[in-house]
Amino acid sequence: MPTTLFDKIWRSHVVHDDDGVVLLYIDLHLVHEVTSPQAFEALRLAGRRVRRPDLTVATMDHNVPTTDRSLPITDAVSRQQMETLTANCAEFGIACFGIGDPRNGIVHIIGPELGLSLPGMTMVCGDSHTSTHGAFGALAFGIGTSEVEHVLATQTLPQRVPRTMEVRVDGARGFGVTAKDLILGVIGAIGVDGATGHVIEYTGAAIRDLSMEGRMTVCNMSIEAGARAGLIAPDDTTIEYLGDRPAAPKGAAWDEAVAAWRELRSDDGAAYDRAVIFDAAEIAPQVTWGTNPAQVAPVTGAVPHPDQWENASDRAAVQRALDYMGLAPGVPLQEITIDRVFIGSCTNSRIEDLRAAADVVRGHRVAASVHAMVVPGSARVRRQAEAEGLHQVFLDAGFEWREPGCSMCLGMNPDVLAERERCASTSNRNFEGRQGKNGRTHLVSPPMAAAAAITGHLVDVRTLGASPVATGAV
Amino acid sequence: MEPFRRVAGIAAPLDRPNVDTDQIIPKQFLKRIERSGYGPFLFNDWRYHADGSENLEFELNRHPWRHAPVLLTGRNFGCGSSREHAAWALEDYGVRAVVAPSFGDIFHTNALKIGLLPVRIPEAVVARWIDLAIEEPGLEMVVDLEQGYVEFAGERQPIDIDEHTRARLLEGLDDIALSLQQSDVIAAFEAQRPRWLPQTSALR
Ligand code: SF4
């Protein structure tokens, strides 16, 4: 019987099957400072050890300041959380990339760039955007702290088999349309719970055409449609990306790995529980107008009217979102002025994202009314961007060029929006208060964020003239 | 984990869909390294004004819904971030069961891990129950896992839960201890893993 990519990965990781409750082996466990302290503490209390510290790696990303790293961290509670991670990793023998480590960065940026995220693996992290690593054809999903403890102690997780869903994106992206726009378009169509209980496999020409960076952006936001995970079958693009990564297999092991990866795809005729089809050519650059990622529209559109929703509870929810966002129905999206621009987060802070934003920024100035910043996803991305001179493009235009971290994606560190400040952000969540209490977030792609920084309002990047985005760089 | 068998008490209505975990417990409270004490921060931004005073418009600040043991709410409750702190905050505040048409997957798992019962009930029924709870705020709900039903205003709905999870909740069993019983099977699995899979020891 033809099977899906998901089935193949799942079946090769079943340790034990107790009447539908499967004990699934976990090949790699990523750890960060926020969701792990209680798990380590529980291990200690129960007198348990970490079964496979050699399949575990930790980084600090959520709390870290993105300003001068030589200064002491002023937030005592944040500092304690980071010190706790250092101490836990030392006690249990786990590699940990703290502030200042050249390998430090956002957990979902460093796994791929080190070559730790490989096709066919199972990966977990106490973080919902673990779905990012699915771009490599790895089954990667977010877990809670009790499950973090479970994986630390056993390197397995009890799981029930999820349903599968194919999201096929045919055709070719238009000028100025990025991976971020594709996934926002998909989420807008299927809804924030459109894939709940499912593992998505992204297929189709528009997905194949994406770089690894673009594929990571797509898989990253799978969780914003409620999916357990997102997957893209590995191909030449994947293998080429992995070739010289530090932790990727070498020599004969590499050849064996590539041979295995070549088999990793859904068979012709494999059945998914659900399937939806999109045409990339019909997706324009997207902007969110509300307080969840499905409340999104093409940048050429306008703020919708709550009456467009059929049921009363949905109408109330849309009205609530508009009140929170300080927006009136019917206002063209491009007339919305902004105060802040954030280019960063595990969705859009990889090197190609920064290149695409810099291409729009080059030769322009940030509008006087806008405070804009670029926060690279990792120390490695930052070094590479500096080697390419991208930081100078941003600095010359009036952007701040920061140290790596999650930063204003969730504002656990000092990078937060003030009350009612409006931000064009390349992150993944426009939830109420996400970037700061009563802050207002519009999710966009990196070129769209750059364009908004220059003009001071949401704007269709395609109208700013020729941009190398059109070459498919993102 | 504390066993979950039966809860009877006031059901507080929170009539909105897609309540994400950023609302249940905002990020500023995730810096703590403790496992308990999150109740005072539950729904912080909805519950309190900027000056720290209570927002009396918010359902859980109104009598008799304050510290109600059951939360009755819209679809996709607990979507978004994986933070288990959301389940911990509800538990610490006194919520024992959440009744909704659907839940975010990670929240659903997190809740079950700590013995907070998420109950899926059809959307039309939940909508009706929310209206009833608002009309008659003192109404009690019974959530009986042993017998497998939820009852509100004389209407019974079955609790849809797999037998494995139900047994674990009723007994209050430790999932990790159960998996550790499989140590030999895990070791046998490990012995045949492909050699190209990554190791992190060299990164220490
Ligand atoms: S960048 Fe944002 S979404 Fe990504 S891991 Fe950090 S906080 Fe989470």
Side-chain angles (χ1 to χ4, degrees):
Chain A
M1 207 180 88
T3 53
T4 62
L5 171 60
F6 165 78
D7 292 326
K8 291 176 190 187
I9 304 174
W10 180 269
R11 284 180 198 171
S12 64
H13 288 82
V14 173
V15 171
H16 179 72
D17 188 344
D18 177 12
D19 196 22
V21 180
V22 161
L23 203 57
L24 197 71
Y25 198 80
I26 304 302
D27 291 322
L28 185 68
H29 185 187
L30 305 167
V31 174
H32 67 72
E33 77 274 23
V34 179
T35 54
S36 66
Q38 296 84 358
F40 283 113
E41 180 64 12
L43 281 187
R44 257 190 303 272
L45 290 174
R48 289 171 178 152
R49 66 191 180 94
V50 174
R51 182 180 178 94
R52 295 297 301 266
D54 60 330
L55 302 184
T56 312
V57 66
T59 186
M60 292 178 202
D61 50 8
H62 285 65
N63 275 283
V64 300
T66 55
T67 45
D68 190 349
R69 291 285 169 84
S70 61
L71 299 174
I73 295 167
T74 48
D75 182 335
V77 195
S78 283
R79 192 173 65 229
Q80 184 195 30
Q81 196 167 59
M82 290 184 269
E83 287 168 358
T84 302
L85 181 65
T86 307
N88 283 329
C89 289
E91 179 182 343
F92 291 99
I94 295 167
C96 177
F97 309 148
I99 294 178
D101 189 302
R103 300 161 299 182
N104 176 258
I106 304 174
V107 65
H108 309 308
I109 304 285
I110 65 163
E113 72 183 12
L114 286 170
L116 286 168
S117 312
L118 303 177
M121 290 171 61
T122 49
M123 299 175 63
V124 295
C125 176
D127 195 284
S128 59
H129 292 98
T130 310
S131 57
T132 310
H133 310 270
F136 291 84
L139 178 62
F141 53 93
I143 57 178
T145 300
S146 292
E147 291 179 300
V148 168
E149 183 191 349
H150 202 119
V151 177
L152 287 171
T154 70
Q155 204 58 33
T156 64
L157 267 185
Q159 291 280 303
R160 301 195 143 258
V161 64
R163 291 185 291 274
T164 54
M165 176 167 175
E166 180 184 22
V167 172
R168 198 172 97 200
V169 190
D170 292 330
R173 278 172 295 139
F175 169 74
V177 177
T178 69
K180 180 68 161 287
D181 303 302
L182 295 187
I183 189 62
L184 282 172
V186 168
I187 296 166
I190 69 176
V192 276
D193 54 358
T196 302
H198 293 74
V199 169
I200 295 177
E201 181 180 348
Y202 299 95
T203 64
I207 300 294
R208 286 279 139 240
D209 183 51
L210 292 172
S211 66
M212 287 316 296
E213 281 82 353
R215 294 179 189 188
M216 284 188 253
T217 300
V218 168
C219 287
N220 172 276
M221 291 195 71
S222 303
I223 179 70
E224 308 311 334
R228 278 306 268 140
L231 280 173
I232 295 175
D235 58 12
D236 290 342
T237 305
T238 321
I239 291 167
E240 196 178 309
Y241 176 97
L242 290 170
D244 56 352
R245 302 278 155 183
K250 305 279 180 295
W254 169 259
D255 296 337
E256 273 173 43
V258 171
W261 299 342
R262 293 279 181 208
E263 303 298 315
L264 265 182
R265 62 190 131 71
S266 292
D267 301 327
D268 291 340
Y272 300 86
D273 295 304
R274 279 180 66 199
V276 283
I277 300 175
F278 295 86
D279 180 356
E282 287 174 8
I283 299 177
Q286 304 282 308
V287 181
T288 62
W289 48 262
T291 54
N292 73 48
Q295 292 179 328
V296 67
V299 63
T300 48
V303 176
H305 200 288
D307 287 351
Q308 291 168 233
W309 277 262
E310 269 175 32
N311 106 22
S313 154
D314 288 344
R315 272 198 302 277
V318 169
Q319 186 58 56
R320 216 190 126 75
L322 295 186
D323 292 345
Y324 180 87
M325 292 296 290
L327 294 174
V331 172
L333 293 170
Q334 298 195 67
E335 286 179 10
I336 298 172
T337 58
I338 51 151
D339 310 301
R340 306 283 298 258
V341 167
F342 172 63
I343 297 179
S345 91
C346 59
T347 308
N348 280 132
S349 65
R350 285 169 284 266
I351 191 69
E352 285 199 0
D353 299 315
L354 304 194
R355 286 182 193 141
D359 284 341
V360 174
V361 167
R362 200 169 276 116
H364 295 278
R365 291 281 313 164
V366 171
S369 55
V370 174
H371 175 182
M373 61 193 225
V374 182
V375 184
S378 69
R380 186 189 173 105
V381 169
R382 188 178 143 99
R383 283 193 303 274
Q384 188 174 351
E386 292 187 347
E388 294 180 16
L390 302 182
H391 67 309
Q392 209 51 56
V393 174
F394 290 118
L395 287 168
D396 289 349
F399 278 85
E400 286 185 32
W401 175 248
R402 295 291 190 95
E403 296 285 344
C406 293
S407 181
M408 215 164 55
C409 174
L410 93 165
M412 265 186 88
N413 76 347
D415 308 338
V416 288
L417 293 182
E419 296 249 343
R420 283 180 291 283
E421 264 189 330
R422 192 180 292 284
C423 180
S425 176
T426 66
S427 55
N428 43 56
R429 287 188 174 136
N430 49 342
F431 294 158
E432 287 182 31
R434 174 76 179 184
Q435 296 193 292
K437 190 169 179 180
N438 288 323
R440 296 160 172 172
T441 303
H442 295 274
L443 302 177
V444 289
S445 74
M448 286 280 288
I454 293 163
T455 58
H457 56 88
L458 297 174
V459 64
D460 187 344
V461 65
R462 298 172 298 185
T463 61
L464 285 193
S467 145
V469 182
T471 63
V474 181
Chain B
M1 185 182 82
E2 287 291 304
F4 185 105
R5 297 204 178 93
R6 182 179 191 274
V7 166
I10 298 220
L14 189 60
D15 186 14
R16 30 189 110 164
N18 304 317
V19 174
D20 60 76
T21 53
D22 275 76
Q23 309 317 314
I24 301 174
I25 181 101
K27 73 304 200 83
Q28 61 268 36
F29 307 108
L30 310 185
K31 297 180 186 181
R32 302 172 71 244
I33 58 172
E34 292 81 14
R35 162 68 175 74
S36 58
Y38 293 90
F41 316 125
L42 177 72
F43 294 120
N44 183 80
D45 292 1
W46 289 346
R47 226 165 119 196
Y48 306 106
H49 293 298
D51 65 1
S53 63
E54 278 194 354
N55 171 12
L56 297 178
E57 298 283 296
F58 184 58
E59 289 84 341
L60 294 182
N61 285 336
R62 306 215 305 253
H63 181 77
W65 296 328
R66 218 177 261 274
H67 298 286
V70 182
L71 197 61
L72 184 55
T73 187
R75 67 170 185 275
N76 202 26
F77 183 84
C79 60
S81 156
S82 66
R83 57 189 74 168
E84 194 164 310
H85 310 67
W88 299 339
L90 286 161
E91 177 198 42
D92 194 58
Y93 179 84
V95 175
R96 301 289 320 279
V98 183
V99 175
S102 61
F103 294 89
D105 286 330
I106 308 178
F107 173 83
H108 191 262
T109 304
N110 290 344
L112 289 172
K113 292 283 179 194
I114 66 163
L116 169 73
L117 189 68
V119 186
R120 290 192 199 96
I121 299 289
E123 188 152 21
V125 178
V126 170
R128 196 161 65 234
W129 285 4
I130 286 179
D131 289 346
L132 279 168
I134 293 170
E135 273 166 38
E136 242 182 283
L139 276 183
E140 287 212 348
M141 185 177 288
V142 176
V143 181
D144 192 329
L145 185 62
E146 233 158 2
Q147 303 295 324
Y149 70 85
V150 182
E151 188 171 306
F152 190 63
E155 180 176 358
R156 248 184 209 207
Q157 289 284 332
I159 297 179
D160 159 35
I161 189 170
D162 68 87
E163 198 37 53
H164 198 271
T165 309
R166 179 170 168 273
R168 189 172 59 75
L169 286 168
L170 289 174
E171 302 288 324
L173 296 179
D174 172 8
D175 244 0
I176 297 178
L178 294 177
S179 292
L180 283 172
Q181 289 171 5
Q182 305 292 332
S183 289
D184 293 348
V185 192
I186 298 172
F189 181 92
E190 286 174 328
Q192 50 81 48
R193 294 174 71 235
R195 65 169 171 168
W196 53 261
L197 287 166
Q199 299 247 335
T200 59
S201 334
L203 302 170
R204 283 189 69 193

